[in-house]
Amino acid sequence: MQREKILEVKNLKTFFNTKDGVIKAVNGVNFDLEKGEILGIVGESGAGKSVTGFSLLRLIDPPGEILEGSIKFKGQDLMKINKRNMNKIRGKKISMIFQDPMASLNPVLTIGQQLIEVLQFHLNYSRKKARNRAVELLNMVGISSPEKRMKHYPNQLSGGMRQRVVVAIALASDPEVIIADEPTTALDVTIQAQIIGLMKNLIKDRQTSLIFITHDLALVSEIADRILVMYAGDIIEYGSKESIISNPAHPYTQGLINSIPVLDKDQKRLKQIKGLMPSPLDLPEGCKFRSRCSKKTDYCKNNDNKLKKINNNHYSTCSEAYQLQKELIAGVG
Amino acid sequence: MLIYTGKRIWQTLIVLFAVSIIVFIMININGDPVQTLLPPDAEPWAVEELRETLGLNKPLYVQYFNFIKNAIKGDMGISYYQQVPALRLVLERLPKTMELAVAAILISIIIAIPAGMYAAIKPESILSKLIMFSSLAGISLPTFLSGILLILIFAVNFSLLPSSGRGEIAQFLGIHSSLFTLDGLKHIIMPAATLGLYMVAMLIRLVRAGMQEVLKQDYILFTRAKGMPAKIVYIRHALKNTMIPVITVIGLQLGRLIAFSMITEKIFAWPGMGKLILDSINRLDRPVIMSYILIIAVLFAAINLVVDLLYYYFDPRIELG
Ligand SMILES: Nc1ncnc2c1ncn2[C@@H]1O[C@H](COP(=O)(O)OP(=O)(O)O)[C@@H](O)[C@H]1O
Ligand SMILES: [Mg+2]
């Protein structure tokens, strides 16, 4: 069944012009997001996940710049609309949740003020109506005595509570897409599970699409429908969760999976991927992972980094995968 | 809150006590008032007699003790020179200096906050560079120079503004001030600008630095991700966070402006405390000097208290204690 495409991202390039050189943080990525789906973006720190998320809302400040690409939201290219209309997309149609709930709420405004302003601005609610709705929202995200909490400042709430408030703000105007950038990384494990459960429930009811950004493949495999693996500004693998977890094509994804701790296996040691991601200032030609790759061949330095089809639900840039595919076809033929 | 205020008042009293000792000692090192009050060829017995009436013949600690005893009663002695209670003399001048300082602060706030914010939000624009250059110039320019320059330009060359005195006074809400008449405003604008120039320049830099820091915070990005328009992002979210250091500086500067208004008052013949204290220092009029310093100390303490309470308003994270 083909579902409606909410977001279609084509050739998105976001670079930072620093005094040391150009950082190619997001280097021409393509993906789409379907209605009601949860898309996980994984990759190690510095892969360009957050920059991708911010680019979708055009929240890139100098020295950063979105150089090219189109971001189609329900057919409308967000790269082509003006500032005022962009503000009507942000927080209303597409909202965002950040990593650190301690830092994402303004310390000098109350929870209520920060929630009410969204309702007033995006939905034109009266003060009273916005207040009532804000209390409902706090209740919905599982905050006890919401009336009282409305008057509290962020520092009077625990980290988990604050992230619930942030979720309430993100959901306030019933958006179609939520981008959650490591929303639970700063929280401890039990709270993490609660917040994820909460988000999953809330978006399921509303058919909201979710882009879930994390460095944690285990976490994303619990929540996502499809997974997108990023490495040094590129999407290197992309497909359904099942296919990626059971059949990872890219050696990097394989490495990520091998480094997940498994409880019932007696692992002496986790297999971490050796080496470091290349400096974003000085990216090599061809496959960027090849210096760390145990399966590299001569082909790798000429890799065009385009996603190659493995099957209808699975794409990867790795030539290994490409070769495999060719052999399969040859075998069949 | 009440306990906090009480505690602060107690601290203030200790500070005042310390100040009184220091001032008392300094004044005694600083020459003999009898010499300046009497003609140089006065008879020795006349000198003795005057010493006795002024209480200057007693040992220092007795003099200090008497001074404190009277001070608690609000009696700072009689001005040697003008023969009226010294405290009253200073208090009469206080509102005039306050009015000048308040005008200076208002001018600086009105100019510095928008200018500093603009320079932080659009650091690359030409206007921002101009603002920052002017503020550097403003910090470097000494008061006497900027005052005289203003007089030259606006009073001498263009004859737009009067260069001395307070102008017409009107009463509003029980306060007499030249801020309430057009003529008064014309009189106050140049001295207030002179007095406030340094502060404008410094506040611009402070607001800009503070705002730049705040704009980097996650909650600002989050507010933008919420789709809030610039007005809400910058004024409601960013400015309130920037105000904490700004309030401190405004508070401390208000004290400084009052305490160091002498040069400006002298240049513009403004009949405030600053002019009085300059004259009194020349005449070694101890009761007036002591009264002046006492008032300044009390003012500083009061301003600090108000600043602390304002902090609390601007930053609910701060615990009073
Ligand atoms: N404001 C910025 N200025 C310069 N470089 C940046 C900025 N933001 C991100 N980058 C760079 O972009 C790359 C991708 O960053 P990011 O998207 O934050 O990674 P992550 O996948 O960990 O979220 C990194 O190399 C980072 O250094
Ligand atoms: Mg990140």
Side-chain angles (χ1 to χ4, degrees), chain A residues 74-330:
Chain A
K74 298 175 97 177
Q76 180 189 29
D77 190 351
L78 299 184
M79 290 306 294
K80 295 208 171 91
I81 65 179
N82 65 22
K83 255 194 194 157
R84 240 185 100 222
N85 289 330
M86 194 62 218
N87 273 340
K88 292 196 180 129
I89 300 277
R90 289 182 188 140
K92 183 176 189 188
K93 303 285 183 196
I94 306 178
S95 46
M96 196 152 177
I97 297 172
F98 292 179
Q99 169 168 352
D100 185 0
M102 300 295 176
S104 35
L105 295 171
N106 192 331
V108 303
L109 296 176
T110 63
I111 303 303
Q113 288 172 314
Q114 300 188 52
L115 196 44
I116 286 172
E117 67 185 7
V118 180
L119 296 162
Q120 285 186 317
F121 183 76
H122 287 312
L123 306 176
N124 289 320
Y125 279 13
S126 68
R127 255 207 91 69
K128 198 163 153 249
K129 198 171 168 198
R131 238 197 73 82
N132 293 338
R133 178 71 184 139
V135 173
E136 267 174 44
L137 283 162
L138 288 181
N139 198 30
M140 192 180 79
V141 296
I143 285 184
S144 54
S145 37
E147 288 274 357
K148 207 177 83 197
R149 290 297 184 191
M150 290 281 285
K151 293 191 210 80
H152 282 187
Y153 290 94
N155 68 312
Q156 292 168 284
L157 275 65
S158 68
M161 290 281 240
R162 288 188 217 184
Q163 200 63 311
R164 284 171 191 269
V165 172
V166 171
V167 171
I169 291 174
L171 286 169
S173 53
D174 215 353
E176 310 219 25
V177 179
I178 296 177
I179 303 167
D181 187 358
E182 313 244 10
T184 58
T185 306
L187 304 172
D188 60 47
V189 188
T190 38
I191 314 262
Q192 173 170 333
Q194 287 171 14
I195 298 280
I196 290 197
L198 174 75
M199 285 176 40
K200 244 175 135 168
N201 282 336
L202 291 173
I203 61 167
K204 205 167 77 198
D205 298 344
R206 300 150 186 255
Q207 280 288 295
T208 314
S209 312
L210 174 65
I211 297 181
F212 193 95
I213 298 176
T214 177
H215 63 278
D216 184 349
L217 186 62
L219 183 63
V220 90
S221 64
E222 272 170 43
I223 180 169
D225 301 315
R226 278 193 301 157
I227 295 178
L228 194 158
V229 184
M230 280 191 82
Y231 188 81
D234 294 327
I235 294 175
I236 53 142
E237 189 155 4
Y238 178 23
S240 71
K241 170 177 76 186
E242 293 74 21
S243 192
I244 295 228
I245 299 295
S246 55
N247 247 329
H250 200 291
Y252 177 66
T253 316
Q254 291 163 4
L256 284 181
I257 289 174
N258 286 335
S259 60
I260 298 175
V262 183
L263 281 181
D264 47 331
K265 267 195 204 161
D266 184 22
Q267 284 167 302
K268 295 232 167 49
R269 220 181 194 193
L270 290 179
K271 280 179 236 140
Q272 294 295 344
I273 305 169
K274 286 197 199 78
L276 293 173
M277 207 161 64
S279 155
L281 286 167
D282 182 24
L283 293 174
E285 289 291 304
C287 175
K288 290 165 190 158
F289 183 65
R290 71 174 190 276
S291 60
R292 298 166 77 182
C293 186
S294 54
K295 299 176 182 166
K296 63 172 176 280
T297 63
D298 288 344
Y299 174 85
C300 296
K301 53 177 178 295
N302 302 317
N303 193 329
D304 58 4
N305 291 320
K306 292 223 164 70
L307 286 164
K308 289 125 203 158
K309 187 168 174 176
I310 296 166
N311 63 46
N312 273 338
N313 288 321
H314 200 155
Y315 300 80
S316 168
T317 55
C318 183
S319 58
E320 187 73 13
Y322 184 68
Q323 287 302 331
L324 194 75
Q325 197 62 24
K326 275 212 296 212
E327 279 159 30
L328 274 176
I329 292 166

Side-chain angles (χ1 to χ4, degrees), chain B residues 56-249:
Chain B
L56 296 175
N57 56 343
K58 304 212 174 72
L60 262 187
Y61 70 92
V62 178
Q63 282 186 42
Y64 178 72
F65 187 71
N66 282 337
F67 162 72
I68 289 292
K69 207 172 70 190
N70 291 330
I72 289 169
K73 286 185 275 177
D75 175 10
M76 299 292 294
I78 307 287
S79 159
Y80 296 162
Y81 190 76
Q82 301 198 39
Q83 304 301 326
V84 290
L87 191 61
R88 203 179 79 203
L89 204 60
V90 178
L91 281 177
E92 269 170 10
R93 300 289 193 99
L94 177 64
K96 295 159 195 163
T97 296
M98 288 275 260
E99 149 190 276
L100 191 59
V102 167
I105 296 237
L106 285 181
I107 291 179
S108 19
I109 291 176
I110 291 169
I111 297 175
I113 289 183
M117 279 177 75
Y118 184 85
I121 294 167
K122 294 235 154 67
E124 297 301 323
S125 83
I126 295 181
L127 183 57
S128 295
K129 290 189 173 136
L130 200 70
I131 289 172
M132 294 320 287
F133 177 78
S134 325
S135 84
L136 194 66
I139 283 184
S140 335
L141 214 57
T143 308
F144 68 88
L145 199 60
S146 49
I148 289 168
L149 276 176
L150 281 181
I151 291 183
L152 271 179
I153 299 170
F154 292 102
V156 179
N157 274 0
F158 294 106
S159 312
L160 279 175
L161 296 169
S163 68
S164 79
R166 241 178 128 205
E168 213 176 295
I169 313 295
Q171 192 187 7
F172 181 67
L173 297 175
I175 302 170
H176 294 266
S177 170
S178 43
L179 290 173
F180 307 133
T181 67
L182 187 64
D183 182 57
L185 281 177
K186 275 187 180 167
H187 276 84
I188 205 169
I189 192 153
M190 277 206 297
T194 305
L195 189 58
L197 178 70
Y198 177 80
M199 178 138 156
V200 178
M202 193 191 50
L203 270 189
I204 287 180
R205 303 188 88 77
L206 193 72
V207 169
R208 187 184 79 128
M211 191 87 176
Q212 277 180 329
E213 204 40 53
V214 169
L215 290 180
K216 280 189 223 148
Q217 303 298 314
D218 265 13
Y219 55 80
I220 294 298
L221 194 57
F222 186 61
T223 309
R224 287 168 60 205
K226 278 156 74 176
M228 296 298 110
K231 202 175 77 189
I232 292 186
V233 174
Y234 293 130
I235 295 179
R236 189 161 192 225
H237 284 262
L239 186 60
K240 205 175 172 200
N241 278 287
T242 311
M243 283 313 278
I244 294 157
V246 173
I247 297 268
T248 322
V249 170

